[in-house]
Every structure is written in C-alpha cells, then in structure tokens.
Amino acid sequence: MPANVEVNSSMLPSNVLAPEADLDEQFALFVKQQNKVFSLILNGAELDRILFKAADVAETMIGGALCCVRLAGHGDEPPRIIATRSVPTGYLEPLNRLRDDDRDFPLSAAAAAEAPQFVEDLAAAAPSSDPAAAFETAPIYDIRAAWAQPMVGEGDAASGALGFFFRDRRAPTRLEMRMIEGLAGLAGFAVEHARNRDALSAADSRFAALADSIPGVVYQRAVSPDGDIRYTYISSAAEELFGVKPDEIVNNSGALFDTYGSEYRKDFRERLIQASKDLSMWDVEATIVGKDGKRKYTHAIARPTRRADGTVVWDGVILDQTRIKEAEFAAAAAEA
C-alpha cells in the first residue's frame, strides 16, 4: 500500500512557496472554479458531467495534473473511471481494472482507506509482487507520480476518489492539498446527492404505480397556516373522474374545485380549514360535473397530519360512487 505522504514546507522546492498575496489570489480563483461545480449540482446536471467538471477544475488549478474520478462500486454498478481528455486513453483500461479492495495503488487505496494518498514516485513505491496493472503500465504512459483524495459524503464509506497523475516526481503544496480536499468533498456531495435523487425518483415511480392500481383517486393535499390550499400529488385517475389532468390540479387547485356543485363549493373552504385545525377525519360525499357535462357522485376520505411548520397534510382517496348512487336512485324510484 502506498504511503500517505505527509507534506510540509521543507519538502517543497522554493519555487512553490509563493508569496501570500499570490496564494490568496489562487485560492480566490479556486473558489470561483469550485462554484461552477456546485452550480451544476444545484441545477440537477447528470452526475458524470458534474464529476468531469470537478476533474477539469482540478487540472486547471493543479499545474501539470492529469485528472480523473474513480467511482467505487455501488449496488449492481461496478467501479468506473470518469477522466478528462488529458489522461492517456490507453491508461484508462488498467485504471478501470482496479478493484475497490486494491490497496497498493493510490486511486483505489484512497477510497478503501478513506485517507489521502500522495505518491511522489510510483516507481519507488510499486509493490515487489503482484502489482496492480495501473502500477505496471504507468511507465508506458509516462506516469511518474500519483495522488488521490477520497470522496467522502455523509454516508458510511467513501464513494470513490479524485485522482491526479503527473509526468514528473511531484508532491503537493499546502494550498494544493486544501484545494484537492475541497474538490473531493464537493464531488462526494455530488455523488450522494445524485444517488439520493435517483432513489427518491424510483420511490416516486413505485408509489405512482401503486396509486394508479387503487380504484379511486389517490391524493395529498396541503393546507398552510394562512389558509392556502394546494394539491402536492394526485394520481392519474383524476383525469377519468374529474376530466382534469393531474398536473393542472397540482398547479391550480381551483381546477378541481370548479368541478364540484355550487352547494359543495359554498362552504368547502371553511369546512376544510376547520377540519385542519381539529385534525378530524375528512369523510365527505359530493356531486361533481365533469367537463363533459356528466354528473358524478364522489366519496372522499382523508387523514390529516400536522407538520412542524403548522401545515396540515391530508393523505386521502376519492372514490367514484356514481354507480352506487344511481342504483340507490333506481331502487327508490321503483319502490315509490
């Protein structure tokens, strides 16, 4: 396993000990570049694009570096490399062959040990027996030094590592170590954010499939402390029952309310707000008139939950009672 090199000023050549003003200027530039990566995260960019940008920024800030990101295996996904165009194409193959438990090469060792690995001279640090292919082929591609910083988010293990390769023997300066740590932390956040987003999207898809299989309209409605009423979710069955698309209802709750009869709408808001204050069950029958002019009968049942900010969230279902009501009317008419 390569040594985790502790770097101090006595190890560094004099030309890397820049004046303090220059260091401040470099760090300010780094923060500006780092913000470009953060902007991609906030705008929901694809993970590979974010990590490529992080590696690109690293190359910009660390002179002579050839950069890549190695994502550790996750679930059914194998480890993989995302590299800038500066990394020799042929070297990507041995890098992709690194295993998560390979502790003799900096790029895989950093994530496994959850500690930075700075190897100033790969030739001197190569293991004497069974070295990783990335070690053996480094001289072919004129790779002399390798650094790696683990990407650690809030999870239990590192999600991979940010890697740096150099054509010459090279140890990092203090400023470079700070920049590397910052970029790797941001890349780790990007990985965690993307995986959480994907997990949430998958959960939403499963819930939507379940909701669509239920006979009725599944919905979630929020009533804020100031009386604002909006639908945060409503299943696709809403279009069949009300004649209104779900996204129309989410964007404008009035699109749903307008389908109800005038008697129902007259005091609906007051009754819902009072039920929200009391946290009482919502169990209401109502008549609606769809866009096609057809009269239908509904039965809504919902349970309230009050959040910390005072908003009351209603989780419920609206059932189509039209056939039952029409049968009751027919039976009453026959009896009369």
Side-chain angles (χ1 to χ4, degrees), residues 14-329:
S14 59
N15 63 346
V16 301
L17 298 177
E20 188 173 339
D22 290 346
L23 293 178
D24 289 343
E25 185 176 333
Q26 289 180 54
F27 195 72
L29 176 60
F30 167 68
V31 171
K32 184 177 180 180
Q33 293 289 327
Q34 192 178 38
N35 285 342
K36 294 179 180 179
V37 180
F38 194 59
S39 177
L40 289 176
I41 297 173
L42 294 181
N43 288 323
E46 291 294 323
L47 179 60
D48 282 23
R49 183 185 173 196
I50 296 170
L51 297 181
F52 180 88
K53 184 62 179 178
D56 184 57
V57 168
E59 278 191 2
T60 300
M61 300 307 303
I62 310 293
L66 316 175
C67 295
C68 72
V69 172
R70 182 181 186 272
L71 273 177
H74 177 70
D76 296 332
E77 298 176 8
R80 60 192 180 92
I81 299 291
I82 299 161
T84 66
R85 297 176 184 86
S86 301
V87 179
T89 305
Y91 198 48
L92 296 179
E93 192 273 333
L95 290 178
N96 272 308
R97 285 165 55 190
L98 288 168
R99 301 186 309 272
D100 287 342
D101 60 353
D102 273 338
R103 291 176 176 262
D104 67 347
F105 192 74
L107 191 57
S108 49
E114 295 188 12
Q117 306 289 316
F118 299 118
V119 179
E120 184 178 353
D121 188 349
L122 281 173
S128 57
S129 62
D130 195 26
F135 249 130
E136 290 186 314
T137 57
I140 298 174
Y141 299 101
D142 197 24
I143 304 296
R144 186 70 182 273
W147 310 342
Q149 179 77 27
M151 303 186 309
V152 181
E154 295 181 359
D156 296 332
S159 56
L162 181 60
F164 302 77
F165 303 105
F166 299 90
R167 305 290 190 188
D168 302 302
R169 291 180 57 187
R170 182 90 146 72
T173 66
R174 289 194 190 93
L175 177 60
E176 286 171 341
M177 285 193 288
R178 286 183 65 189
M179 292 191 292
I180 290 168
E181 185 177 2
L183 273 175
L186 192 55
F189 171 74
V191 173
E192 201 163 54
H193 177 74
R195 287 174 177 169
N196 289 341
R197 182 183 61 199
D198 291 346
L200 184 60
S201 177
D204 285 346
S205 297
R206 289 194 297 270
F207 175 78
L210 177 62
D212 288 342
S213 69
I214 294 174
V217 178
V218 178
Y219 71 91
Q220 186 177 81
R221 178 173 60 205
V223 180
S224 67
D226 61 4
D228 179 57
I229 302 169
R230 61 188 177 89
Y231 285 84
T232 55
Y233 174 81
I234 191 160
S235 65
S236 60
E239 186 170 5
E240 182 180 352
L241 181 58
F242 297 100
V244 184
K245 293 182 182 295
D247 56 351
E248 291 182 59
I249 297 170
V250 171
N251 292 328
N252 174 22
S253 59
L256 176 63
F257 300 148
D258 289 346
T259 66
Y260 284 98
S262 57
E263 286 299 313
Y264 180 84
R265 295 202 309 270
K266 182 173 61 176
D267 61 352
F268 165 78
R269 180 184 179 83
E270 289 72 20
R271 286 190 296 137
L272 179 58
I273 290 176
Q274 187 59 51
S276 298
K277 291 177 180 177
D278 300 339
L279 293 183
S280 56
M281 284 290 293
W282 185 258
D283 191 341
V284 177
E285 292 186 352
T287 303
I288 64 172
V289 179
K291 286 185 176 181
D292 58 2
K294 185 178 179 180
R295 183 178 296 273
K296 296 180 182 179
Y297 302 89
T298 66
H299 184 185
I301 305 170
R303 183 185 298 276
T305 304
R306 180 172 285 118
R307 291 177 176 168
D309 64 357
T311 298
V312 174
V313 176
W314 293 87
D315 296 305
V317 62
I318 304 171
L319 303 173
D320 186 352
Q321 299 281 78
T322 304
R323 290 184 179 180
I324 296 174
K325 285 293 183 182
E326 288 177 346
E328 289 176 355
F329 296 152

